[in-house]
C-alpha cells in the first residue's frame, strides 16, 4: 500500500465531509476540489464570478504551500464552471497565479457545484 501523507492547512477551507484537502504519495500531491469559501468564515467570498475564481486560486495556493510546493508545481488542473461563457475570466485570473509552462488543463461546464458556487478546481502537483 502506498505511503499516504495527509496535507491540511488552516489557510484553506476545512474539508467538509469525508475527504482531505490534499493527499501526498511519494512526490505527487492530489489536490481536492476547492470552491470559493473564505477559510476564516467558511462562507462564499462573493456572488461575483471573478472574485470566486480568485478565492479558489488563493485556496489552492494555500494547499500547495502546505504540501511544500507552489502553484507552478501543479501539472494537471481541472476547472468546473456552471457557465462556460465565463472561461475568459478564468484565463485572465489564472495568468496571475501561473508562469509558463502552464499545467495540462480541463474546463468543464457542470449543472451545479457545492454551496451554489460558480467554480471549483482540483488538480495534481508533482514536487
Amino acid at each position: 500500500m502506498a505511503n499516504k501523507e495527509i496535507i491540511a492547512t488552516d489557510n484553506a477551507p476545512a474539508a467538509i465531509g469525508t475527504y482531505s484537502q490534499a493527499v501526498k504519495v511519494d512526490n505527487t500531491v492530489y489536490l481536492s476540489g476547492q470552491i470559493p469559501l473564505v477559510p476564516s468564515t467558511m462562507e462564499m467570498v462573493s456572488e461575483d464570478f471573478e472574485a470566486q475564481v480568485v478565492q479558489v486560486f488563493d485556496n489552492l495556493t494555500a494547499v500547495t504551500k502546505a504540501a511544500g510546493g507552489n502553484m507552478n508545481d501543479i501539472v494537471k488542473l481541472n476547472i468546473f464552471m456552471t457557465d462556460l461563457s465565463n472561461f475568459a475570466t478564468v484565463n485572465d485570473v489564472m495568468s496571475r497565479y501561473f508562469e509558463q509552462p502552464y499545467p495540462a488543463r480541463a474546463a468543464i461546464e457542470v449543472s451545479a457545484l457545492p454551496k451554489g458556487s460558480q467554480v471549483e478546481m482540483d488538480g495534481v502537483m508533482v514536487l
Side-chain angles (χ1 to χ4, degrees):
M1 182 166 187
N3 184 16
K4 296 191 299 186
E5 177 185 344
I6 302 305
I7 307 300
T9 177
D10 292 337
N11 296 322
I16 306 168
T18 55
Y19 66 94
S20 301
Q21 289 171 329
V23 177
K24 180 179 175 186
V25 178
D26 298 324
N27 67 336
T28 304
V29 181
Y30 301 89
L31 304 163
S32 287
Q34 287 290 336
I35 60 173
L37 295 178
V38 176
S40 60
T41 64
M42 292 298 287
E43 298 293 330
M44 200 68 63
V45 66
S46 167
E47 289 299 315
D48 177 71
F49 182 77
E50 182 172 353
Q52 289 197 11
V53 174
V54 167
Q55 187 65 54
V56 168
F57 279 126
D58 286 349
N59 293 345
L60 286 173
T61 298
V63 177
T64 61
K65 184 177 178 184
N70 62 58
M71 292 294 278
N72 287 308
D73 294 318
I74 294 177
V75 296
K76 177 67 165 94
L77 183 68
N78 297 308
I79 303 169
F80 306 93
M81 293 177 278
T82 55
D83 185 352
L84 212 49
S85 71
N86 288 322
F87 196 57
T89 301
V90 171
N91 275 331
D92 177 57
V93 175
M94 187 172 169
S95 71
R96 302 176 214 163
Y97 288 84
F98 290 87
E99 298 171 3
Q100 291 187 8
Y102 299 123
R105 181 176 76 179
I108 302 160
E109 182 173 303
V110 296
S111 63
L113 290 166
K115 295 192 173 278
S117 172
Q118 299 175 63
V119 60
E120 179 174 0
M121 297 181 208
D122 70 8
V124 177
M125 62 186 285
V126 177
L127 301 172

